[in-house]
Amino acid sequence: MHANGDGIPAKVLVTKIGLDGHDRGSRVVAAYLRDAGMEVIYTGPWQQIPAVVALTQEEDVDVVGISSLATDHLIVPKLMRALRDAGLAHVRVVVGGIVPDDEVSMLHENGVSKVFHPGSSREEIVAAVQQLAEQARCERPEI
Amino acid sequence: MSAKPKSVQLPLPGFDSALSTWQRDYASQVGEEPVLHNRSGIEIKPLYTPDDWPASRYMEDLGFPGVAPMTRGIYSSMHRGRTWTQRQLIGYGTPQDYNRRLRKLMDAGVTAVSLIPCNSVYRGYDADEVDIELLGTCGAVVNNVDDMQVCLDEIPIDRVSTAMNDPLPFTLLAFVLGVAKRRGIAWTAITGTSNQSDYISHFVANHMFLRLGLPGNRRVLVDEVDFCQQHVPNWNPVSIVGQHMQQAGATPAQAMAFALCTAIQFAEDCLERGMQANEFLPRFTFFFDISLSFFEEIAKFRAGRRIWARIVRERFKADAGRACRFKFHSQTSGADLTRQQPLNNIARVAVQAMAGIFGGTQSLHTDAYDEVLTTPTEEPSRIAINTQNILREEAHLTDVIDPLGGSYYVETLTSQMEAEIEAVVGQIDALGGMYRAVESGAVQRMIGESALAFQERIENGAQKIVGVNAYQVDESAHVSPASQRPAPGTMENYLQSLQAYKSSRSNKQVQAALSELQRACNTVDKNVFEHIVDAAIAGLTHGEICACLRRELEFGQPLVIV
Amino acid sequence: MTDVAAAVDRLIGGDKATLARALTAVENAYPHAAELLEALRPHTGCARVVGVTGPPGVGKSTLCNALIREWRTRGHRVGVIAVDPSSPLSGGAVLGDRVRMHEHDQDDFVFIRSLAARTNGGGLAASTAGAIVVLDAAGMDCVLIETVGSGQSQVDIAGVAKTTVVVSAPGFGDEVQALKAGILEIADVLVVNKADLPHAEQTARQLRIMLGLRDAQRWQPPVVMTSGHTGQGVDQLAEALQEHHDSIVTDTPAATQTHTVADLLRKLASEDPYVRHLGIEFITGGSGHASVRMRVQPSHISFNGTCHGGALFSLADAAFGLASNSHGVVAAGIDAHITYPRAVKVGDVLTAGAVEETRSRRFATYRVIVTRSDGATVATFTGTVATVGGARPGAPQ
Ligand SMILES: Nc1nc2c(ncn2[C@@H]2O[C@H](COP(=O)(O)OP(=O)(O)OP(=O)(O)O)[C@@H](O)[C@H]2O)c(=O)[nH]1
Ligand SMILES: [Mg+2]
């Protein structure tokens, strides 16, 4: 069981922004995280960035996972800005899906913690999300 | 030749004793082995013999190409007479970009037009309603008749078939008809397919778009079939997309079953409208995924052909030979391609394409090897087409019709897949048909479970994938091709031209068409699609038409199931 | 060091981030959670708490979505706690309820929070009760709790909610039958959802028959037919919830007369523009007594930074006015006096209870005590009325 150090499960939002709807990957990842003992909010595709920010805040999640199979990763920088503006800079953001190599660094520069490419294993995803959740918990204001 | 060497004529051993000898030898060599299953869950034995499929079943199971039971193909000449249509789905950038690319591909051997619109179009919006960063990055931005005219510039649309990835409400078809009208081409001369007309598969797989609620979709699809029958008789208004189901995680057998159930649903809806099965069924087409599970895919197609011919005759009592033909386009599966060692994908695509060809496809799209890295770029796209050319011209795969027919394995597997598919069809029937089964989420749940189960096989190593969980190499040095993005300023320019288009229209004409469309939506016996065509010709944009329908026919909400 | 006092100020001032983190603190029983809840208690008591339960898939979340919409059109702020089961194997959970309520994601006056039941910890009731305190203090008018109606959680919800809604739907007969015993005990309102499907009427009839077996008592649960999809019947549901709410705040034993007196007082309060303007809510009343409630708003604050004495006076005076007019004759205040032993802050929830002390043919005197939700007395008030007119039209005898 993958609980945080304090025995409290990591809380993760798995979502899709932009125009594409392919959700096979995000569903599989949501199930992985659940089976690893995390608490997952799963939204389905086509979320507006302000709605993702509202969800992140209301649910007080540690990690936001964005799945992008077309080119929706191109608006992830907008999301990162919106999260920072809402005072949610401690929340870790990961992107999974098809991200061309030459655009990965653009995501990192905008504050994305990790990019998962197709073929990433369950273990790799679970371990990374767990670790990022712990980091987020440490930086998060207590109340 | 000299005289034959003398050979001692030994008596042939009996079948049964030979079989048990082999079984013993096999067991002693292999020992305990895990039971193998294909992706559809069918157990795969090490050897198939006439015990599994006796040639005495030939007429019952196979017959001859072009006639029932259709196993060997839907035309008597199949690929030997006319090869499949080489259809590369493309779309990128502005209408100008698209037209340039299309003409290049046609020079390279592509024989039909296909168009993938930008995801903003899939979602039912004009370019000025979405994030500019996303415009034209995975499809061409086409918002109105002018755009379509540019897309099809110098393309003889009265002679080549035009497939549009054009989900309901079929504005792209409306724009094509608008272009034909401007060019003085009769609509009866227009051929092609509404490639993404299957709203059920879109709803299930959440693939790319969601515009209307299910009831509105149901109505407009029948309207389109009806309209095309009357005005564009050589157009295939329906393409049932088993591919979406399989890409979303359905097993090959499930994907085939869901496609067949969807076709049944659409046919029943058309019948309820008073249309004749013999008239609309010949224009139903299908679209499937070809995974790397080579024999399973071939069996899937052969079984599907057989079941469809039976459904047409038995359920719909349609006797026209054309109605029984299971026409399908197929696409090699992007889900099987890997980011690791991406050139390996060329080999994968070749094998997938062979399965499609041996399965008797009417039309084939081969994926570019960089599809999993980025939106496909030019050289990989050319290699993909040449893969088809090589298989046909150099490997002679088309010399013989249904070359795997009669193989003990392939025939057994075809029958087993058939039974598996029929079982799923029975499940869906019991749920009240496909419409009900997707409305309640039952189909989505089945697909979700299959997706997870397959992923599990990769995780635990039961399914090896070269470069992913086997034969890995250090790839830190590897860099994928530069992603192609619209040049800076291109989309800003496009938005300006859209603005100009909107302000140059006759306001009166636009308003009149819009209120006609509105009225049609709210009048039960009006054909909504007819008014969409009118609206497109009158100058309404894609986004305006979709907005009107969302308002009048109810917006669709995704059904989210984990 | 966690500054609980500062957090409380931010929370009642409407800061969403603090609200979210307070809920996390309560959910995870962080060390400062108890202190926080204690500090929030004075600010609670205004929210009406509605629990929604029923078998999986009857459409609870979809119905909650529609009910939120209805409440929003009535101007209420809504807090939602959506409880989903945790996997007994991994302890993880996919929290899927709020997906069906996504149309409210960007509404500033709706706050939705998903909670995993975390069955191994067994603390669902505790964390839900704590979450209700937090949302109430944050100024929610309505707090909605969705739980899956099976086993323990269903009993839990009746313990924390003031009104429990049990949802069924056509085709869920067996599940409801299985839950029968529990449901009959806890249901205040029964809903047949998916009324857009065939056989809904039949399901409603079955439920009514099952209810017939229940002991006749003060509150007879209505059976409401709704569709979360079309929105049909959701206004009736909101009405039924309102009626139940009124019936529990008017909690004098089954005396029909006081019940109708309470109705009269509620009507008087609702027709009083000044009372409405201040956001004063009628709670209960009967012959010679009445109580009302108010949450202290920023607009009630004086230059000293505490609640203006006039606002407190108005609250006490509202209770005084209602109690003195509870006998069916028109009475008018002629003298009143107030003392304020304690300062009151924004976000505090105050209740004023007026009781008759003396009564003659011409005059009557009343004592009003104003308390904060944590029980502290913040003001005492005495007043005298004179009977000025005849019988009030429509008043019970
Ligand atoms: N026809 C119809 N279907 C409905 C209605 N309300 C919900 N549904 C459908 O019923 C299914 C379950 O709805 P939910 O709202 O998730 O049900 P739930 O009771 O919250 O489910 P759990 O939280 O999993 O216990 C979904 O497919 C809804 O679309 C309704 O009023 N009419
Ligand atoms: Mg729910």
Side-chain angles (χ1 to χ4, degrees):
Chain A
M1 176 155 151
H2 279 266
N4 272 9
D6 50 7
I8 292 160
K11 198 162 177 183
V12 186
L13 170 63
V14 177
T15 187
K16 276 176 77 73
I17 54 178
L19 299 171
D20 172 65
H22 292 73
D23 61 354
R24 174 181 181 166
S26 55
R27 288 171 63 167
V28 168
V29 167
Y32 280 177
L33 301 181
R34 174 198 62 203
D35 294 344
M38 302 186 206
E39 292 175 355
V40 183
I41 316 279
Y42 177 79
T43 67
W46 305 311
Q47 300 300 309
Q48 304 276 330
I49 286 176
V52 173
V53 173
L55 245 73
T56 304
Q57 181 170 69
E58 289 187 4
E59 297 289 353
D60 201 7
V61 298
D62 307 308
V63 178
V64 175
I66 301 286
S67 160
S68 168
L69 281 111
T71 49
D72 294 324
H73 65 278
L74 294 173
I75 57 168
V76 166
K78 279 187 177 171
L79 172 69
M80 301 306 296
R81 247 190 325 276
L83 285 171
R84 275 194 300 273
D85 290 349
L88 297 165
H90 66 279
V91 176
R92 297 297 194 263
V93 177
V94 300
V95 177
I98 298 184
V99 177
D101 286 343
D102 54 342
E103 285 169 348
V104 169
S105 57
M106 177 274 288
L107 292 181
H108 286 314
E109 279 155 24
N110 279 278
V112 169
S113 300
K114 189 137 179 60
V115 176
F116 296 105
H117 296 292
S120 303
S121 72
R122 170 209 288 261
E123 246 169 90
E124 190 184 340
I125 295 171
V126 165
V129 171
Q130 186 59 40
Q131 194 187 8
L132 290 169
E134 277 159 27
Q135 289 173 10
R137 286 261 163 107
C138 290
E139 280 173 33
R140 167 187 174 284
E142 229 182 342
I143 183 160
Chain B
M1 277 251 298
S2 56
K4 274 187 186 171
K6 273 225 177 90
S7 65
V8 189
Q9 206 69 60
L10 286 177
L12 281 175
F15 179 87
D16 293 336
S17 73
L19 179 61
S20 52
T21 307
W22 170 78
Q23 279 168 337
R24 203 186 48 238
D25 292 351
Y26 178 82
S28 75
Q29 275 182 29
V30 177
E32 279 285 309
E33 66 172 339
V35 183
L36 289 184
H37 291 98
N38 68 10
R39 295 184 184 192
S40 299
I42 291 166
E43 184 181 333
I44 303 300
K45 302 195 298 177
L47 187 73
Y48 291 80
T49 69
D51 259 2
D52 301 289
W53 188 81
S56 60
R57 295 188 55 87
Y58 183 83
M59 282 311 292
E60 195 178 330
D61 288 353
L62 300 185
F64 287 86
V67 291
M70 293 281 185
T71 315
R72 309 206 70 179
I74 58 169
Y75 299 114
S76 48
S77 59
M78 282 308 286
H79 297 147
R80 175 118 177 192
R82 181 170 158 267
T83 61
W84 64 89
T85 308
Q86 286 183 259
R87 199 184 289 282
Q88 289 304 108
L89 302 176
I90 59 158
Y92 166 77
T94 63
Q96 287 81 359
D97 295 330
Y98 171 80
N99 181 259
R100 258 195 305 277
R101 184 109 166 230
L102 175 63
R103 280 155 64 176
K104 234 186 212 167
L105 281 172
M106 293 191 89
D107 292 344
V110 159
T111 53
V113 174
S114 76
L115 191 160
I116 302 181
C118 172
N119 277 347
S120 59
V121 176
Y122 274 115
R123 291 280 287 134
Y125 298 113
D126 276 342
D128 53 8
E129 298 175 275
V130 305
D131 292 292
I132 190 169
E133 293 92 333
L134 302 179
L135 286 178
T137 53
C138 21
V141 184
V142 183
N143 284 171
N144 52 55
V145 183
D146 278 13
D147 288 349
M148 187 60 88
Q149 186 165 347
V150 174
C151 287
L152 299 177
D153 191 31
E154 303 218 353
I155 307 295
I157 52 172
D158 46 351
R159 279 182 285 121
V160 299
S161 109
T162 323
M164 293 285 144
N165 273 17
D166 182 21
L168 199 140
F170 316 113
T171 45
L172 297 185
L173 171 57
F175 295 148
V176 171
L177 296 178
V179 172
K181 196 167 170 216
R182 285 184 184 178
R183 289 213 215 149
I185 296 171
W187 287 357
T188 48
I190 302 289
T191 60
T193 305
S194 293
N195 248 352
Q196 304 270 338
S197 42
D198 172 5
Y199 65 88
I200 285 186
S201 75
H202 277 295
F203 184 70
V204 166
N206 271 342
H207 269 209
M208 297 178 275
F209 92 113
L210 189 94
R211 299 165 171 177
L212 301 184
L214 282 175
N217 277 309
R218 192 176 198 171
R219 173 178 173 193
V220 177
L221 178 67
V222 180
D223 284 350
E224 188 230 12
V225 176
D226 199 6
F227 177 91
C228 288
Q229 239 181 54
Q230 293 175 40
H231 304 285
V232 203
N234 292 309
W235 187 264
N236 300 318
V238 172
S239 162
I240 293 128
V241 192
Q243 191 248 10
H244 285 166
M245 307 288 192
Q246 198 163 325
Q247 286 283 297
T251 66
Q254 281 175 331
M256 179 57 73
F258 294 150
L260 292 168
C261 290
T262 304
I264 292 169
Q265 182 73 61
F266 292 167
E268 280 170 355
D269 290 351
C270 288
L271 287 173
E272 206 178 298
R273 183 67 71 85
M275 291 184 237
Q276 299 300 315
N278 272 325
E279 284 168 20
F280 65 76
L281 285 180
R283 290 260 158 241
F284 273 29
T285 65
F286 295 80
F287 173 11
F288 291 102
D289 204 36
I290 317 170
S291 77
L292 255 175
S293 187
F294 181 76
F295 289 106
E296 183 176 2
E297 290 295 339
I298 295 167
K300 172 181 91 176
F301 292 128
R302 299 173 91 242
R305 246 189 324 263
R306 206 141 83 190
I307 301 172
W308 179 242
R310 201 159 52 230
I311 288 171
V312 168
R313 275 172 298 139
E314 291 173 9
R315 280 208 202 204
F316 298 115
K317 310 275 179 266
D319 45 21
R322 289 171 58 226
C324 300
R325 285 183 190 149
F326 188 66
K327 288 190 293 186
F328 65 92
H329 167 74
S330 52
Q331 174 168 352
T332 59
S333 169
D336 287 339
L337 305 188
T338 69
R339 188 190 145 74
Q340 293 79 359
Q341 304 172 46
L343 289 174
N344 289 347
N345 291 332
I346 298 173
R348 294 191 177 96
V349 169
V351 174
Q352 292 168 329
M354 283 168 65
I357 294 164
F358 291 149
T361 192
Q362 275 60 61
S363 164
L364 180 62
H365 168 101
T366 32
D367 278 355
Y369 71 82
D370 62 348
E371 142 125 13
V372 74
L373 304 170
T374 177
T375 312
T377 52
E378 220 158 308
E379 191 188 26
S381 298
R382 195 179 59 244
I383 294 174
I385 305 165
N386 275 332
T387 303
Q388 297 191 30
N389 294 334
I390 290 166
L391 293 176
R392 191 186 59 248
E393 307 288 350
E394 300 182 25
H396 292 275
L397 295 196
T398 57
D399 288 358
V400 172
I401 298 167
D402 187 29
L404 298 184
S407 144
Y408 302 122
Y409 173 38
V410 171
E411 294 307 344
T412 307
L413 191 59
T414 300
S415 298
Q416 287 175 322
M417 287 291 279
E418 183 179 10
E420 184 65 30
I421 294 163
E422 294 269 30
V424 179
V425 171
Q427 267 175 292
I428 301 298
D429 277 344
L431 291 169
M434 196 62 182
Y435 185 93
R436 290 267 166 257
V438 305
E439 193 184 32
S440 71
V443 168
Q444 292 89 321
R445 266 181 217 106
M446 288 162 80
I447 290 178
E449 280 162 23
S450 299
L452 207 53
F454 185 69
Q455 200 59 36
E456 195 49 49
R457 283 176 64 165
I458 297 173
E459 293 293 334
N460 66 26
Q463 174 67 58
K464 293 261 186 306
I465 298 187
V466 174
V468 175
N469 62 3
Y471 313 105
Q472 290 108 313
V473 294
D474 177 16
E475 302 200 48
S476 48
H478 167 79
V479 181
S480 60
S483 39
Q484 189 182 15
R485 300 282 174 241
T490 324
M491 286 304 150
E492 283 80 359
N493 289 343
Y494 177 80
L495 287 178
Q496 271 173 18
S497 75
L498 180 63
Q499 206 45 52
Y501 175 85
K502 282 185 179 173
S503 51
S504 71
R505 298 175 298 183
S506 145
N507 238 337
K508 220 173 98 200
Q509 227 178 327
V510 166
Q511 278 312 319
L514 190 60
S515 53
E516 277 302 309
L517 180 57
Q518 235 160 2
R519 244 223 335 264
C521 290
N522 293 298
T523 316
V524 178
D525 51 1
K526 289 251 186 213
N527 186 314
V528 174
F529 183 65
E530 182 183 326
H531 291 275
I532 291 173
V533 174
D534 288 349
I537 292 173
L540 260 73
T541 65
H542 169 73
E544 289 164 344
I545 292 171
C546 290
C548 174
L549 297 185
R550 282 196 293 261
R551 225 172 23 242
E552 307 300 326
L553 296 178
E554 188 201 334
F555 188 52
Q557 295 297 342
L559 185 56
V560 179
I561 292 168
V562 185
Chain C
M1 195 55 216
T2 312
D3 188 347
V4 168
V8 169
D9 283 348
R10 285 199 309 273
L11 187 134
I12 61 181
D15 181 49
K16 281 200 162 196
T18 308
L19 170 54
R21 290 198 287 266
L23 287 169
T24 308
V26 168
E27 178 186 14
N28 296 334
Y30 284 160
H32 55 280
E35 186 191 348
L36 178 69
L37 284 177
E38 218 32 65
L40 288 175
R41 199 93 45 197
H43 308 286
T44 60
C46 267
R48 71 181 57 164
V49 184
V50 175
V52 174
T53 190
V58 285
K60 297 181 293 296
S61 305
T62 314
L63 182 65
C64 287
N65 180 55
L67 185 59
I68 298 168
R69 201 187 303 143
E70 175 68 26
W71 275 341
R72 290 295 297 127
T73 63
R74 295 172 183 221
H76 300 315
R77 293 166 172 249
V78 186
V80 180
I81 302 164
V83 184
D84 266 311
S86 298
S87 153
L89 289 178
S90 71
V94 172
L95 308 168
D97 293 322
R98 78 169 296 153
V99 170
R100 308 226 184 275
M101 311 176 202
H102 74 101
E103 68 175 80
H104 307 291
D105 280 348
Q106 289 179 70
D107 183 339
D108 272 343
F109 297 107
V110 176
F111 191 103
I112 302 172
R113 181 57 173 267
S114 313
L115 284 188
R118 296 189 189 164
T119 37
N120 43 353
L124 172 66
S127 55
T128 308
I132 292 169
V133 168
V134 174
L135 288 168
D136 188 350
M140 301 299 163
D141 302 302
C142 304
V143 174
L144 195 54
I145 308 158
E146 176 184 340
T147 60
V148 168
S150 60
Q152 198 52 38
S153 64
Q154 160 201 323
V155 180
D156 284 345
I157 196 170
V160 292
K162 292 180 197 159
T163 302
T164 302
V165 180
V166 174
V167 187
S168 178
F172 282 82
D174 294 346
E175 283 87 339
V176 174
Q177 198 71 31
L179 294 175
K180 189 166 88 178
I183 277 182
L184 287 180
E185 299 311 314
I186 64 169
D188 298 311
V189 176
L190 278 159
V191 166
V192 176
N193 191 40
K194 308 197 187 186
D196 52 305
L197 298 182
H199 311 305
E201 187 52 62
Q202 207 171 310
T203 310
R205 220 171 308 132
Q206 280 168 2
L207 286 179
R208 286 195 195 98
I209 291 168
M210 284 160 62
L211 278 177
L213 306 174
R214 179 167 147 148
D215 292 340
Q217 47 171 257
R218 211 173 29 179
W219 175 258
Q220 201 52 40
V223 178
V224 186
M225 306 212 348
T226 62
S227 166
H229 275 182
T230 67
Q232 147 202 359
V234 176
D235 51 342
Q236 275 127 279
L237 173 59
E239 280 310 314
L241 296 174
Q242 179 69 45
E243 273 170 37
H244 182 256
H245 173 75
D246 294 345
S247 87
I248 46 174
V249 293
T250 317
D251 53 0
T252 345
T256 42
Q257 200 200 330
T258 41
H259 196 87
T260 46
V261 169
D263 286 344
L264 167 77
L265 297 183
R266 176 175 304 108
K267 185 161 170 291
L268 289 179
S270 73
E271 288 169 354
D272 186 324
Y274 184 63
V275 163
R276 280 215 312 267
H277 172 71
L278 287 174
I280 294 173
E281 184 197 6
F282 173 76
I283 306 173
T284 179
S287 262
H289 67 95
S291 54
V292 296
R293 182 163 53 207
M294 178 178 86
R295 181 190 292 278
V296 178
Q297 303 293 331
S299 62
H300 297 151
I301 299 302
S302 73
F303 50 70
N304 280 334
T306 56
C307 184
H308 198 287
L312 281 175
F313 188 95
S314 297
L315 177 68
D317 189 59
F320 166 55
L322 291 170
S324 59
N325 278 283
S326 64
H327 298 293
V329 286
V330 179
I334 54 171
D335 174 63
H337 176 77
I338 194 165
T339 55
Y340 314 106
R342 208 181 235 108
V344 173
K345 290 193 301 228
V346 168
D348 285 359
V349 174
L350 307 177
T351 304
V355 180
E356 196 169 80
E357 299 209 306
T358 65
R359 183 165 183 244
S360 70
R361 243 161 47 86
R362 287 292 313 278
F363 300 103
T365 60
Y366 295 83
R367 170 175 299 276
V368 185
I369 297 179
V370 182
T371 52
R372 209 167 55 188
S373 294
D374 61 346
T377 298
V378 296
T380 53
F381 170 110
T382 50
T384 307
V385 292
T387 306
V388 295
R392 185 179 292 280
Q397 293 311 303

